[in-house]
């Protein structure tokens, strides 16, 4: 066997890919393993440039440079490379290359022996990808975990909570120092980091609360790598933003539900307290009623005695007047404590308003107050006591007139919605501070001089509205005015018949 035959036999027996290139990189020979992997027949590509034929354009310049280096170094070299197959696939190969010289030490060819490591490279890539994914997941989880810790202590205001949460977001992104966050909620913006609306990379996710879009969460990414390529978001970061936007929506939902609950609790406590005061007041009133009736009766009887000295007659008159006044107060306390039975019938609230206005109009005009009526034309009747309901209107209107010493507008509106009748009494008067607002339904609470108010007007209103199964709400702003909103359940003909 001559050397060439021996050499060919070794090439064929080798498990690896074996090729021989000339000193310029042209293909001299390839073994059968090469043919199997590349899809080429050596006889077809012998003489062609290796790099043009079998190396992907992206890797060509680098491969050529390394090849030139081997010739220069003149010894065995290891190198990682790739091979583009006839049908365009990329096969990754670890090459061992040996330059071969003639007797004058001139490079004649390069012997390349390679191992197909594609499966290994792909496994490694998958692992790296998996590692990236786990790292992103880890960041996401720690961010969400930190958010949950903030949410667990929800006592601060919502904007403060949201600020804390936004501050957690940049650190969970790849380039925290270049990442800016903006949250737009109900038209208001909150920021964290250097948010850049003009940034090259920017993404946005809607913030939904109860399936309603309330705003959006945006992230911007500025800056560039050393090669001048602009920073870009990772695919996992798009997912992270979507998870964060969902979480922010959830936090807002939870927080608002808590606020509603607290408000309801407060209202319930208030109603409960008023009911207790009512019980107490009505108890006292009830006890005083009988002795008072005696005082009144005996005074009236005594006043009828003939030939009374005029001073005694005047004194008895005063006793009668005071007793009548006390009886009024007792009656009001009984109404507040809901101890006065209602004389119910079907009542048209619009009619009640018109009847009451009759008494009020003159006083209003004298005080330079315009009355604006906006009464719903198809207002359903309610089941109620017309006299008591008139009392409600009188008390609210008198208060409104008192609240507008320099004139203004008194607006009275009725409307119906969902089987309820709404009555709104609004003035453009002095309004109330929160501290006053808190106490207005308490009996004897007044800010007026004793000749103008006893502080029983709104207590009576509250008693009557509650006895009708209604709800009363007040909105007031100092210097702007006050609106009383009363809701009465509409009379259901079936239950009305039962009544
Ligand atoms: P009174 O009118 O006898 O003071 P009320 O129970 O009718 O008692 O009202 C209690 C207090 O509520 C009033 O003293 C006043 O301070 C406040 N108030 C009631 N209605 C109004 C209103 N429309 N505008 C401003 N303050 C009001
Ligand atoms: Mg009053």
């Amino acid at each position: 066997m001559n050397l060439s035959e021996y050499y060919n036999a070794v090439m064929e027996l080798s498990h690896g890919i074996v090729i021989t290139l000339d000193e310029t990189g042209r293909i001299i020979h390839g073994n059968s393993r090469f043919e199997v992997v590349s899809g080429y027949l050596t006889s077809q590509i012998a003489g062609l440039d290796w790099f043009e034929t079998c190396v992907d354009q992206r890797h060509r310049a680098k491969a050529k440079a390394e090849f030139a280096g081997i010739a220069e170094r003149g010894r065995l070299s290891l190198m990682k490379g790739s091979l583009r197959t006839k049908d365009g696939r990329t096969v990754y190969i670890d090459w061992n290359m040996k330059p071969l010289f003639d007797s004058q030490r001139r490079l004649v060819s390069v012997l390349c022996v390679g191992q197909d490591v594609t499966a290994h490279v792909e496994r490694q890539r998958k692992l790296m990808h998996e590692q990236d994914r786990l790292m992103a997941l880890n960041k996401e989880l720690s961010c969400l975990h930190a958010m949950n810790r903030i949410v667990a202590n929800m006592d601060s205001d919502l904007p403060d909570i949201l600020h804390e949460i936004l501050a957690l977001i940049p650190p969970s992104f790849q380039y925290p120092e270049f990442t800016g966050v903006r949250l737009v909620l109900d038209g208001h913006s909150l920021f964290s980091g250097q948010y850049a609306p003009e940034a090259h990379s920017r993404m946005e996710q809607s913030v939904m609360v109860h399936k309603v879009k309330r705003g959006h969460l945006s992230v911007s990414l500025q800056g560039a790598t050393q090669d001048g390529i602009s920073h870009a978001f990772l695919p996992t970061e798009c997912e992270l933003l979507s998870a964060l936007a969902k979480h922010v929506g959830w936090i807002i939902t939870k927080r608002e539900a808590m606020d509603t609950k607290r408000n309801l609790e407060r209202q319930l406590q208030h109603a409960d307290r008023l009911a207790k005061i009512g019980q107490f007041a009505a108890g006292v009133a009830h006890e005083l009623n009988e002795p008072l009736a005696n005082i009144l009766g005996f005074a009236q009887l005594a006043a009828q005695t003939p030939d009374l000295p005029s001073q005694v007659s005047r004194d008895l008159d005063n006793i009668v007047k005071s007793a009548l006044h006390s009886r009024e107060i007792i009656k009001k306390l009984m109404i507040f404590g809901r101890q006065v039975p209602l004389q119910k019938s079907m009542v048209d609230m619009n009619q009640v308003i018109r009847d009451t206005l009759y008494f009020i109009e003159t006083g209003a005009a004298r005080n330079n107050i315009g009355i604006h009526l906006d009464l719903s034309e198809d207002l359903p009747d309610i089941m109620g006591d017309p006299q008591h309901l008139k009392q409600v209107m009188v008390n609210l209107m008198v208060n409104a007139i008192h609240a507008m010493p320099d004139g203004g507008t008194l607006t009275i509106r009725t409307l119906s919605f969902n089987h309820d009748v709404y009555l709104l009494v609004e003035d453009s008067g002095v309004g109330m501070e929160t501290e006053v607002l808190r106490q207005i339904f308490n009996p004897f609470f007044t800010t007026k001089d004793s000749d103008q108010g006893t502080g029983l007007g709104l207590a009576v209103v509250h008693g009557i509205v509650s006895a009708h199964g209604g709800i009363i709400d007040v909105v007031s702003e100092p210097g702007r005015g006050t609106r009383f909103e009363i809701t009465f359940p509409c009379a259901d003909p079936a239950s009305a018949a039962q009544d």
Side-chain angles (χ1 to χ4, degrees):
M1 185 189 276
N2 63 24
L3 193 60
S4 156
E5 279 172 346
Y6 169 76
Y7 177 60
N8 279 343
V10 171
M11 268 173 95
E12 291 317 314
L13 289 175
S14 162
H15 286 301
I17 298 167
V18 184
I19 49 168
T20 323
L21 305 178
D22 74 8
E23 75 279 15
T24 65
R26 273 178 218 291
I27 302 162
I28 299 173
H29 190 268
N31 71 347
S32 56
R33 181 79 192 128
F34 165 73
E35 291 182 338
V36 169
V37 172
S38 71
Y40 290 112
L41 287 177
T42 317
S43 55
Q44 287 170 344
I45 57 170
L48 296 182
D49 182 85
W50 163 257
F51 302 100
E52 298 293 330
T53 316
C54 291
V55 178
D56 197 83
Q57 200 197 336
R58 285 176 298 149
H59 307 133
R60 208 170 281 160
K62 189 168 167 251
K64 269 186 182 169
E66 279 175 340
F67 181 78
I70 288 165
E72 235 164 66
R73 282 195 299 278
R75 49 187 159 79
L76 189 70
S77 301
L78 303 177
M79 129 193 179
K80 293 197 173 300
S82 64
L83 187 160
R84 192 188 56 198
T85 65
K86 195 175 175 189
D87 55 9
R89 282 176 302 113
T90 301
V91 175
Y92 294 91
I93 300 196
D94 280 355
W95 289 113
N96 275 320
M97 296 180 165
K98 170 88 176 129
L100 302 174
F101 300 93
D102 64 8
S103 48
Q104 267 100 55
R105 293 257 350 129
R106 275 188 317 231
L107 178 71
V108 281
S109 61
V110 178
L111 179 64
C112 314
V113 179
Q115 282 299 334
D116 177 352
V117 291
T118 311
H120 176 70
V121 168
E122 272 168 5
R123 216 173 315 122
Q124 211 165 20
R125 277 199 184 161
K126 255 192 212 142
L127 276 175
M128 298 255 295
H129 187 251
E130 189 61 12
Q131 190 184 358
D132 280 353
R133 212 180 60 79
L134 283 175
M135 269 167 62
L137 200 65
N138 184 26
K139 277 184 172 182
E140 177 180 334
L141 282 177
S142 16
C143 181
L144 292 181
H145 177 68
M147 280 189 181
N148 279 335
R149 268 217 312 272
I150 294 174
V151 176
N153 177 18
M154 276 264 225
D155 284 337
S156 353
D157 286 341
L158 185 58
D160 291 346
I161 293 176
L162 293 175
H163 261 303
E164 270 187 75
I165 283 172
L166 290 198
L168 296 173
I169 298 179
S172 40
F173 278 74
Q174 193 187 8
Y175 303 104
E177 63 280 27
F178 294 109
T179 304
V181 185
R182 179 180 69 180
L183 171 68
V184 177
L185 181 67
D186 301 330
H188 298 286
S189 298
L190 298 175
F191 295 93
S192 169
Q194 295 292 320
Y195 181 75
E198 308 302 331
H200 182 76
S201 295
R202 220 168 54 81
M203 48 184 187
E204 183 178 305
Q205 278 286 337
S206 301
V207 172
M208 310 291 288
V209 178
H210 286 307
K211 296 194 178 133
V212 177
K213 180 172 173 180
R214 293 272 296 271
H216 53 260
L217 185 62
S218 318
V219 186
S220 72
L221 181 56
Q222 287 174 299
T225 61
Q226 281 171 345
D227 314 335
I229 302 165
S230 295
H231 286 153
F233 290 115
L234 302 171
T236 49
E237 290 177 335
C238 305
E239 287 162 31
L240 174 62
L241 182 67
S242 140
L244 291 173
K246 266 197 206 119
H247 212 69
V248 167
W250 175 78
I251 288 168
I252 296 169
T253 310
K254 189 170 163 192
R255 175 62 205 221
E256 288 183 348
M258 265 174 64
D259 286 352
T260 314
K261 188 170 160 237
R262 275 188 196 156
N263 255 340
L264 274 176
E265 277 169 3
R266 220 173 285 140
Q267 276 177 16
L268 271 178
Q269 274 171 6
H270 192 219
D272 197 43
R273 212 170 65 84
L274 279 180
K276 285 204 178 95
I277 299 176
Q279 268 174 3
F280 173 73
V284 173
H286 189 80
E287 288 302 315
L288 289 180
N289 215 11
E290 205 182 300
L292 186 66
N294 288 339
I295 295 173
L296 185 60
F298 286 119
Q300 280 167 335
L301 212 64
Q304 284 165 17
T305 316
D307 306 324
L308 282 177
S310 62
Q311 180 59 45
V312 173
S313 188
R314 272 201 302 276
D315 290 348
L316 285 172
D317 247 15
N318 280 336
I319 293 177
V320 170
K321 269 191 205 138
S322 293
L324 285 173
H325 180 63
S326 306
R327 199 168 68 176
E328 273 311 300
I329 293 179
I330 284 181
K331 193 172 151 205
K332 285 177 181 166
L333 285 179
M334 306 264 287
I335 294 179
F336 171 61
R338 295 170 57 181
Q339 295 301 309
V340 178
L342 298 180
Q343 310 282 319
K344 277 191 180 174
S345 60
M346 296 296 274
V347 184
D348 172 9
M349 255 336 265
N350 287 344
Q351 194 52 47
V352 169
I353 291 166
R354 288 194 198 99
D355 290 349
T356 323
L357 271 179
Y358 177 78
F359 298 104
I360 300 291
E361 266 162 352
T362 340
R366 208 183 315 123
N367 285 289
N368 232 347
I369 291 168
I371 297 181
H372 176 68
L373 280 191
D374 179 9
L375 306 183
S376 160
E377 280 182 9
D378 47 6
L379 194 71
D381 284 351
I382 60 171
M383 198 61 193
D385 182 327
Q387 292 314 319
H388 277 76
L389 293 171
K390 271 181 207 164
Q391 189 68 59
V392 168
M393 287 313 302
V394 170
N395 292 2
L396 292 180
M397 288 186 201
V398 167
N399 279 347
I401 291 172
H402 282 161
M404 297 184 282
D406 304 324
T409 311
L410 167 61
T411 307
I412 300 164
R413 191 170 290 151
T414 55
L415 48 114
S416 68
F417 177 72
N418 259 352
H419 305 296
D420 286 337
V421 168
Y422 291 84
L423 165 66
L424 309 178
V425 179
E426 183 168 1
D427 64 60
S428 58
V430 293
M432 288 175 260
E433 301 285 349
T434 328
E435 193 46 32
V436 171
L437 203 53
R438 211 171 48 79
Q439 308 180 69
I440 53 174
F441 295 114
N442 291 349
F444 304 113
F445 172 80
T446 181
T447 56
K448 298 173 188 170
D449 291 340
S450 60
D451 57 336
Q452 262 213 327
T454 53
L456 283 172
L458 289 179
V460 165
V461 167
H462 193 275
I464 296 175
V465 171
S466 311
H468 282 79
I471 297 169
I472 183 163
D473 206 357
V474 199
V475 187
S476 186
E477 201 182 317
R480 299 294 293 272
T482 302
R483 184 171 68 238
F484 283 85
E485 306 172 346
I486 299 180
T487 317
F488 288 114
C490 170
D492 165 12
S495 70
Q498 275 180 7
D499 262 333

